[in-house]
Structures are given as C-alpha cells and as structure tokens.
Amino acid sequence: GETFTEKQIPVTMVQEVWDRYNELERELTQQGLDNTDPAMATPMYIRLATSTLKTAILIAASRCEKDVIVKLTDLYKAMSLAETWKMHAESVLLELGKSSSEKIVERALDKIKRDPGVTRATVMRGLHLTAKEADWIINTLVQRALVKSDKAGRTERLYPITLKGEI
C-alpha cells in the first residue's frame, strides 16, 4: 500500500473571523446553558462551534491557493452548514432520555394528528400494538387532553385536541 505522511499547512484567519467566531461560540454556549438539559446541551453546542470553525478552514483550503487564509465568507458558509447540523443535533437531544413507552405514545399522537378520526384499530395495526398497549396509550393521550375518543357502536375514533380545546 501507499504511505501517507502528515503535512502541516499553516492557516491564517483574519481578525474579523476570530471576532465573529468568538461571538458564535458565546451564542452557542449560552444556548446550551439556557437549554432544559444544560449538562447535555452545552458540550454539544460548544462542539458545534468548534466544528463550524474547522469547516471554515476546510472551505478556505478548498480554494487550493498557496496560502490558506480563512475569510469571513468562509465562516459564514460554515455557519450556514452548521445550522442544519444544529437542527439534527437538537432533535437527537430531544430524543435522549425518552422512554420507549413515551416514544410510542408520541408516535400514536402523530398518527392521530395526521389522520383525525382514525379508528383505534388502524392505530393498533399501524403501530403493531396489542389491545392492552392500545388501551394504555389512548388512555394516556386522553388523560393528557391531547386526544378525544369517540365511540359509535364497536368503532372507536380518535381525534386530536388543539390548544384551544377544539377537535
């Protein structure tokens, strides 16, 4: 195989990049501290700031010029990419700590919101639930005032309840 040697390339960042990066790092650190779970969020946001700076360096290096000089436009491009990463990281953060039963309750609620008036049987089939599991999930949603259950004969239909209490 081939042997690769590590080559260090000097990188220069203009002062306005450092200024804007420091501002970004402060903003993201504060978002982490203000989060409902700062112990998990703060390191994630700090890492995101660092990854953004590294991405700006890679963008600058991709110009293949003799000297790698990170400009403010490089940082802004990296920040644009980091916004997408941030959304994904936040969704992962939201899922942390949720029990499997809480996740299935959320999936059932999503199904009911997507198809108001859906039958209990359809929800059970779609989520592969037993009758006992469906009872527990639907009772939980009704108790939380998130769903209204309407029975007509043997058919039970489920409707989401809006913030105003309307169906």
Side-chain angles (χ1 to χ4, degrees):
E2 290 184 50
T3 304
F4 293 96
T5 57
E6 188 175 310
K7 180 180 176 186
Q8 293 198 358
I9 300 170
V11 174
T12 305
M13 283 193 260
V14 295
Q15 187 59 45
E16 59 187 358
V17 170
W18 280 118
D19 294 342
R20 182 60 184 103
Y21 169 74
N22 288 330
E23 186 181 325
L24 172 70
E25 188 178 43
R26 274 191 303 278
E27 291 167 3
L28 289 173
T29 300
Q30 192 59 52
Q31 285 179 30
L33 293 170
D34 293 343
N35 191 283
T36 54
D37 189 355
M40 293 293 285
T42 304
M44 180 192 75
Y45 284 118
I46 291 170
R47 205 167 296 117
L48 181 63
T50 305
S51 295
T52 303
L53 184 61
K54 289 177 180 179
T55 302
I57 293 168
L58 291 172
I59 291 169
S62 72
R63 284 194 293 271
C64 299
E65 295 173 352
K66 181 181 174 196
D67 297 319
V68 178
I69 300 172
V70 182
K71 301 174 185 172
L72 198 54
T73 54
D74 301 323
L75 183 61
Y76 285 142
K77 286 178 188 175
M79 288 170 66
S80 176
L81 292 169
E83 270 304 308
T84 303
W85 304 336
K86 182 180 170 196
M87 288 187 318
H88 292 295
E90 287 170 342
S91 67
V92 168
L93 197 61
L94 283 173
E95 291 298 315
L96 291 176
K98 285 186 184 177
S99 66
S100 58
S101 58
E102 187 60 33
K103 289 178 185 176
I104 195 79
V105 168
E106 285 185 3
R107 287 179 54 214
L109 179 59
D110 288 343
K111 190 164 191 58
I112 295 164
K113 283 180 176 178
R114 280 193 314 273
D115 187 11
V118 65
T119 64
R120 171 194 167 98
T122 302
V123 172
M124 286 176 63
R125 270 193 312 276
L127 299 177
H128 310 288
L129 301 173
T130 65
K132 187 176 179 177
E133 291 168 331
D135 285 341
W136 181 82
I137 290 167
I138 292 167
N139 287 337
T140 299
L141 291 169
V142 169
Q143 288 172 1
R144 292 180 184 176
L146 297 171
V147 169
K148 180 182 180 300
S149 172
D150 228 3
K151 289 183 184 176
R154 293 181 56 157
T155 303
E156 181 178 8
R157 294 198 174 274
L158 305 166
Y159 299 90
I161 298 176
T162 65
L163 292 176
K164 298 175 187 175
E166 302 165 354
I167 297 175

